[in-house]
Amino acid sequence: MRNLGLAFLFTILLHQCFFRPHGGVEATGAGFIQTRGPHFVLNGDLFYANGFNAYWLMYVAADPTQRSKVSAAFREARSHDLTVARTWAFSDGGYRALQYAPGAYNQDMFQGLDFVVAEARRYGMKLILSFANNYDSFGGKKQYVNWARAQGGGGGLASDDDFFTHPLVRTYYKNHIRTVLNRQNTFTGIRYKDDPTIMAWELMNEPRCTSDSSGRTIQMAWFVKSIDRNHLLEVGTDFVANNRVSGIDFATVHSYPDQWLSNSNDESQLSFMNNWLDAHIQDAQYVLRKPILIAEFGKSWKDRDQLFNAVYYKIYASAKRGGAAAGGLFWQLLTEGMDSFRDGYEVVLGQSSSTGDLIARQSHKLYQVRKIFGRMRNQERWRKARAARKGQWQSGSRNGRKGVGN
C-alpha cells in the first residue's frame, strides 16, 4: 500500500508540473556524481543525465582561434537544458595527437582538453571522459600495440587484442590513465581527479576483445580506483560480466538500429531497439543493480525525431517508476561552422528546431522527475522525524508519570 501511495503522489505531482520547452533546468552545480543503488545521485538528490556526445571538443579547443566553437556548443546545450557531455581524453599517434609517443604529450592538445573541462565547469555541465578507443580512429588500441612492437616488445603481440593482456601495452595504457587523472588544469588549477566537473571516466570507447567473448579481459577498474576514488567509472560497453565488477559504477549501452538492421524498415528497427533497451534496463536494475546510461544513440537525419522520441520515452518511463535508466547522450552535437565534422548523425541545435524541442522537453521532464522524488524524499524524512519526536514525547510523558508517584 505504501508503494501505491507513493506512486499516486508522484502522478499527482507530475501532472502539476509545467513543462517549459527551454530554460527550466538549473545547472548541475558543484559536487561529485555518486550512485545509490540503480540511481545517480548529486548532493543527495537523484540525478538524470540528458546530454550529448562531442568527440571533437579537445581537438578543436587545441587551436585557441577555434575555442569559440567549444563555448558555443556548451552554451547551446545549456539553452536546451542539457547537463552531460561525453568526449575523448585520448588521441594517440598520428596527426595532432595528444599522446604522440608512449608517455610523451602535446601540451597544446592537453591545454585544449583543459579548456574543455574549464568551459564545462563555467556552463554548469558534467563530463564523461574516455581514456582510449577500441577503433583505429585517433590511434586506438592498435596504436598501443604498434608502440610496443616498435620498442622490441613484439613477443606475443599477435593481434590488437593483446592490448588487454600484454604487460608492456598495459603499462603504456596505465601510464596514460595516470597522466590524465593527475593532470593539473592550466585554466582552473584543479587536478582532473579532484574536479567534480568530471562525472565519470570511461575505460575505452566500445571495447571489444574478440579472443575473449566473456568480456572479463577488458578490465582496468582497480587501477583507476587506486588513484581516483572521487569519480564514477564505466567500461564503455554492455557486457554484463564487465559491469558486474565492483569498481564499475554504472552500465552503458550504445544504440544504432539503422546500422545494425540496415536492411530493415524503420518500424522493424524501432521494434528491435525498444525490446533491446527494455532488456538492458531490466538487467541493470535486477541483475547488476546499477544505473544504466544510453551513452550513445542516434540516427541519420531522416526520421531522426522518431528514434529520439522512442529512446527518450524508454528513459523517462523507467525514471518515473524509480527504475535504472539514468539518462541518454545523443550522437553527436555540432555547432555552426563545423561542416567538416558532419557524419550524417549530427545535431546542430540552431538548425534542428523539432529535434531541439524534443531534447529540451526530455531535459525538463527528467528534471521534474528528480524534483518530485526529492519532494517525496523530504516528505518521508519529515514523517520519520515527526514519528521520532512523537516517540520521544511519549517516552518522556511515561517517565514523568512514573516520577509523580515516588
Side-chain angles (χ1 to χ4, degrees):
M1 290 298 292
R2 176 176 173 274
N3 289 337
L4 286 175
L6 289 176
F8 180 67
L9 175 61
F10 182 93
T11 303
I12 291 173
L13 292 171
L14 187 62
H15 282 286
Q16 291 175 344
C17 295
F18 175 50
F19 293 136
R20 289 172 289 177
H22 295 277
V25 178
E26 64 193 25
T28 56
F32 290 98
I33 304 288
Q34 300 173 316
T35 60
R36 185 170 62 212
H39 303 122
F40 291 135
V41 178
L42 175 61
N43 299 326
D45 293 322
L46 296 186
F47 177 83
Y48 295 97
N50 199 39
F52 61 93
N53 285 270
Y55 74 90
W56 49 268
L57 290 172
M58 175 182 67
Y59 181 87
V60 170
D63 180 353
T65 68
Q66 299 297 306
R67 286 176 181 168
S68 60
K69 292 183 171 65
V70 173
S71 301
F74 284 130
R75 183 170 59 251
E76 292 163 11
R78 282 302 305 141
S79 75
H80 288 69
D81 298 326
L82 296 174
T83 54
V84 176
R86 175 174 172 263
T87 192
W88 299 165
F90 64 80
S91 180
D92 303 305
Y95 177 66
R96 291 179 67 181
L98 170 64
Q99 184 179 202
Y100 58 86
Y105 289 87
N106 179 336
Q107 291 304 312
D108 289 340
M109 291 295 287
F110 236 144
Q111 287 173 17
L113 186 57
D114 291 345
F115 180 81
V116 170
V117 176
E119 283 296 274
R121 181 184 183 88
R122 185 161 77 95
Y123 282 96
M125 298 196 68
K126 300 292 187 183
L127 295 173
I128 297 175
L129 299 181
S130 187
F131 288 127
N133 202 6
N134 178 68
Y135 308 109
D136 296 351
S137 301
F138 298 94
K141 62 186 182 184
K142 178 188 283 292
Q143 180 63 72
Y144 279 88
V145 172
N146 287 341
W147 277 334
R149 287 195 182 110
Q151 291 297 317
L157 288 167
S159 75
D160 294 347
D161 279 359
D162 293 314
F163 172 92
F164 302 107
T165 57
H166 193 278
L168 182 57
V169 179
R170 287 171 66 87
T171 297
Y172 290 160
Y173 179 49
K174 287 193 288 186
N175 286 343
H176 176 62
I177 291 173
R178 184 185 294 108
T179 299
V180 173
L181 294 180
N182 287 312
R183 170 75 176 182
Q184 185 170 12
N185 193 308
T186 55
F187 291 90
T188 67
I190 304 171
R191 292 190 185 279
Y192 283 20
K193 67 180 181 181
D194 299 322
D195 194 340
T197 306
I198 298 166
M199 171 181 170
W201 304 108
E202 180 178 87
L203 288 175
M204 176 176 276
N205 174 51
E206 298 187 353
R208 298 288 185 272
C209 183
T210 56
S211 60
D212 178 13
S213 59
S214 73
R216 296 185 185 91
T217 304
I218 313 170
Q219 280 301 341
M220 198 67 75
W222 63 271
F223 181 73
V224 177
K225 293 291 188 176
S226 72
I227 301 172
D228 180 1
R229 305 293 297 185
N230 290 323
H231 291 99
L232 301 181
L233 180 64
E234 48 109 338
V235 183
T237 186
D238 59 346
F239 287 115
V240 170
N242 269 315
N243 288 306
R244 273 181 166 151
V245 172
S246 60
I248 299 301
D249 298 295
F250 64 98
T252 59
V253 290
H254 296 182
S255 181
Y256 294 98
D258 64 333
Q259 294 183 13
W260 299 345
L261 303 172
S262 58
N263 294 324
S264 300
N265 59 29
D266 289 346
E267 184 178 351
S268 297
Q269 291 173 4
L270 278 177
S271 176
F272 172 84
M273 186 196 70
N274 284 330
N275 293 331
W276 187 84
L277 286 177
D278 282 341
H280 283 76
I281 292 170
Q282 293 294 308
D283 281 346
Q285 184 154 358
Y286 298 111
V287 178
L288 299 172
R289 302 183 187 279
K290 296 178 181 181
I292 183 169
L293 181 69
I294 294 91
E296 284 188 26
F297 70 92
K299 189 177 181 182
S300 56
W301 62 269
K302 183 182 177 182
D303 297 323
R304 178 172 60 198
D305 288 358
Q306 187 180 27
L307 179 124
F308 273 51
N309 249 328
V311 173
Y312 284 157
Y313 175 77
K314 289 296 181 186
I315 295 168
Y316 176 65
S318 171
K320 72 178 183 178
R321 295 193 305 267
L329 314 177
F330 67 81
W331 184 280
Q332 63 162 329
L333 179 68
L334 296 182
T335 190
E336 301 283 352
M338 299 188 68
D339 290 350
S340 64
F341 291 85
R342 290 179 179 267
D343 60 0
Y345 289 76
E346 71 279 348
V347 175
V348 181
L349 291 171
Q351 300 174 0
S352 309
S353 59
S354 63
T355 305
D357 286 344
L358 277 175
I359 291 166
R361 283 199 298 271
Q362 177 74 354
S363 295
H364 202 77
K365 287 165 72 174
L366 292 178
Y367 177 73
Q368 292 298 338
V369 171
R370 178 189 180 196
K371 298 298 285 185
I372 290 166
F373 274 116
R375 196 179 308 174
M376 292 163 62
R377 183 164 168 255
N378 288 338
Q379 289 174 344
E380 186 70 14
R381 285 174 173 171
W382 179 80
R383 281 194 293 268
K384 289 180 178 178
R386 186 177 66 172
R389 287 195 299 270
K390 184 178 179 180
Q392 290 170 356
W393 179 83
Q394 290 174 338
S395 175
S397 178
R398 285 193 298 269
N399 290 338
R401 286 197 296 270
K402 289 178 182 179
V404 170
N406 290 337

